[in-house]
Amino acid sequence: MKIRPISDLRNRYSEVEKEVLDKGPVFLTKNSYGSMVVMSIDQFEYLNGSIEDALDAADRQAAATDMRFTHEQVFGSIREGLCNAKRSDAV
């Protein structure tokens, strides 16, 4: 995880942009506290699109069947997906 002061966005924009494009999101701090995360448009669209696609698929499945999942099944699957995503990012 890359953390930079928010002033770098103004003073070193090209460096921040290169980091975002090469390495992923950059976390910006203001007065030593987290302020925002900067990511590329491609990263944002991937995250947003994935969520929208999953919600649309869930709506279609719910309308087509009486099958339902428990809280543990749903959140266990989400946790597993997040862990797998972290592992693939580390490689």
Side-chain angles (χ1 to χ4, degrees):
M1 172 181 355
K2 185 66 180 174
I3 301 172
R4 296 181 74 132
I6 200 163
S7 60
D8 280 1
L9 196 56
R10 179 183 63 243
N11 300 328
R12 295 187 169 124
Y13 177 83
S14 59
E15 289 176 25
V16 174
E17 180 184 34
K18 183 170 176 23
E19 282 182 30
V20 165
L21 295 175
D22 292 347
K23 301 176 184 173
V26 173
F27 297 82
L28 301 176
T29 61
K30 182 177 181 180
N31 299 324
S32 300
Y33 292 98
S35 176
M36 66 179 73
V37 176
V38 178
M39 67 177 64
S40 72
I41 289 174
D42 289 340
Q43 292 166 335
F44 176 78
E45 288 177 347
Y46 172 77
L47 289 174
N48 194 44
S50 297
I51 292 167
E52 289 298 323
D53 291 344
L55 290 172
D56 289 345
D59 286 342
R60 286 190 301 275
Q61 183 179 12
T65 181
D66 290 335
M67 184 172 60
R68 298 295 181 256
F69 296 98
T70 67
H71 175 272
E72 290 79 16
Q73 290 171 314
V74 171
F75 286 95
S77 175
I78 292 170
R79 284 186 194 97
E80 183 178 323
L82 291 173
C83 289
N84 289 339
K86 280 186 177 183
R87 281 187 219 121
S88 67
D89 286 344
V91 174

